[in-house]
């Protein structure tokens, strides 16, 4: 079997390393020799022992009938989408780690792969080295999935951990993440929640059977989280985590959201720290299943890519269980209707507590930093919560922070 790797960045070089280091075990599992025939990259790598494999023109790969598996690890939607579509149409299996591509084009590429009786596999697109795509469509296949809640972004989890344990401010923790190479120079996709959004969209599309596009999902990042929010969360009995969640509601609608959330210390998700990811999947037969591990990085991500290469080689034709239809969004609960309760932090004044109770009724009080009061609101809807917070502001109450509580 001959493969071509599109991209020789962190993940691409990791794929070469894993294929080389673990060659004999991989070939046993694949049932045949696995040879890298091409690596596509704009740059030259003259000092590498495999420098002769590099090509700059995708057409060389597209035109070579010997290439059975194309491994796309370039990132971004274009030109990845064009290269992946052309590979599938040419009857080649495709393995990718590209969450942006799968979240934007998954339904279309899965359908294209099925038409050509080849596989489009993307285990590495969510949770890096954590097996989650295959467990969700195979091992948990007997269940109706009722909820998924995940810490899906390692960079923001590292930043939040430093804010919680190291008492750092957001900017200081971000600078440290950049210094250690965890955060990109432009960290917006991570800290604004877009990366986590793409990943929960992929998981929800797979779990619920129709494509969920990122632009439909309300997404908030962690840039507004302050040390005072972190202190309140600790006083309440938990930690703030960036959570991507998808919940099946009673009326069969789906509530999907990415936002910082208060996670109780009783939840295993509260102990997922640093750059690790954790994903809780609730099935109606199995109950809660927790996935934990390295959600990013060269070798963990390459591990998932190479396992997909083995699967692609072993599968005879399309893996039919890994499919979802295109979606029109009709199954999504409108954001304003989604259920929520939240920690609300106010500047303390004679009026603040009274006005809060008039609007929200009974609410649990949480110890807040000096000069502040904080409450957990009763369960309401997102629309109502926003309206009541606006009403507080209009009544001269200073709202200092709002963090949703992750529902059990
Ligand atoms: N930037 C991503 C993260 C990389 O921090 O989780 C892995 O998808």
């Amino acid at each position: 079997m001959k493969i071509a790797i599109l991209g020789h960045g962190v993940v691409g070089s990791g794929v070469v390393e894993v294929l080389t280091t673990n060659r004999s075990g991989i070939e046993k599992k694949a049932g045949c020799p696995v040879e890298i025939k091409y690596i596509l990259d704009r740059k030259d790598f003259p000092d590498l022992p495999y420098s002769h494999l590099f090509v700059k023109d995708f057409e060389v790969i597209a035109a070579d009938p010997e290439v059975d598996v194309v491994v796309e690890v370039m990132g971004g939607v274009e030109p990845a989408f064009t290269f992946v579509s052309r590979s599938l149409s040419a009857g080649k299996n495709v393995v990718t780690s590209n969450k942006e591509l799968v979240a934007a084009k998954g339904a279309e590429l899965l359908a294209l792969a099925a038409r050509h009786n080849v596989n489009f596999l993307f285990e590495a697109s969510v949770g890096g080295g954590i097996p989650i795509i295959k467990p969700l469509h195979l091992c948990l296949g007997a269940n109706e999935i009722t909820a998924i809640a995940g810490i899906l972004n390692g960079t923001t989890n590292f930043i939040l951990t430093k804010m919680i344990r190291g008492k750092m401010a957001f900017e200081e923790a971000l600078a440290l993440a950049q210094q250690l190479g965890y955060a990109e120079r432009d960290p917006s996709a991570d800290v604004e929640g877009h990366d986590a959004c793409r990943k929960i969209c992929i998981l929800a599309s797979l779990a619920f059977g129709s494509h969920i596009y990122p632009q439909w999902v309300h997404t908030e990042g962690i840039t507004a989280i302050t040390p005072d929010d972190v202190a309140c969360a600790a006083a309440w009995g938990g930690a703030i985590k960036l959570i991507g969640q998808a919940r099946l509601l009673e009326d069969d609608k789906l509530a999907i959201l990415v936002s910082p959330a208060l996670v109780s210390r009783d939840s295993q998700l509260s102990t997922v720290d640093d750059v690790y990811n954790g994903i809780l999947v609730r099935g109606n037969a199995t109950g809660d299943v927790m996935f934990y591990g390295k959600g990013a990085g060269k070798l963990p991500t390459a591990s998932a890519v190479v396992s997909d290469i083995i699967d692609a080689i072993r599968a005879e034709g399309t893996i039919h269980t890994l499919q979802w239809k295109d979606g029109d969004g009709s199954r999504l609960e409108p954001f304003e209707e989604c259920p929520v309760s939240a920690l609300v932090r106010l500047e303390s004044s004679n009026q603040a507590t009274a006005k809060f109770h008039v609007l929200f009724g009974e609410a649990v009080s949480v110890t807040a930093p000096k000069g502040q009061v904080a409450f957990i609101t009763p369960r309401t809807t997102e629309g109502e919560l926003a309206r009541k917070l606006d009403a507080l502001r209009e009544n001269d109450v200073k709202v200092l922070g709002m963090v949703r509580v992750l529902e059990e």
Side-chain angles (χ1 to χ4, degrees), residues 99 152-155 190 195 199 295-296:
K99 57 248 163 144
L152 299 167
N153 182 268
T155 306
D190 292 320
D195 179 76
K199 292 166 177 168

Side-chain angles (χ1 to χ4, degrees), residues 144-167:
E144 178 167 26
I145 302 298
T146 56
I148 302 172
I151 295 169
L152 299 167
N153 182 268
T155 306
T156 46
N157 205 38
F158 175 83
I159 293 171
L160 289 170
T161 304
K162 291 296 164 205
M163 290 178 73
I164 295 164
R165 292 179 187 262
K167 309 274 179 248

Side-chain angles (χ1 to χ4, degrees), residues 270-316:
S270 74
T271 61
V272 176
D273 282 336
D274 294 314
V275 286
Y276 281 83
N277 283 191
I279 307 162
L280 186 144
V281 179
R282 184 167 297 160
N284 67 345
T286 187
D288 287 358
V289 183
M290 179 81 181
F291 298 86
Y292 171 83
K294 288 187 177 151
K298 179 175 171 171
L299 294 182
T301 310
S303 153
V305 170
V306 174
S307 85
D308 271 352
I309 295 174
I310 297 170
D311 264 8
I313 292 171
R314 287 182 63 92
E316 288 174 19

Side-chain angles (χ1 to χ4, degrees), residues 10-47:
V10 174
V11 181
S13 58
V15 170
V16 179
E17 188 176 329
V18 171
L19 280 170
T20 310
T21 311
N22 296 342
R23 173 175 298 281
S24 95
I26 289 165
E27 292 187 343
K28 252 187 230 142
K29 286 165 204 151
C32 62
V34 180
E35 185 191 323
I36 302 171
K37 185 159 184 188
Y38 303 109
I39 302 174
L40 180 79
D41 206 285
R42 276 179 306 208
K43 284 188 249 151
D44 291 310
F45 295 86
D47 299 332

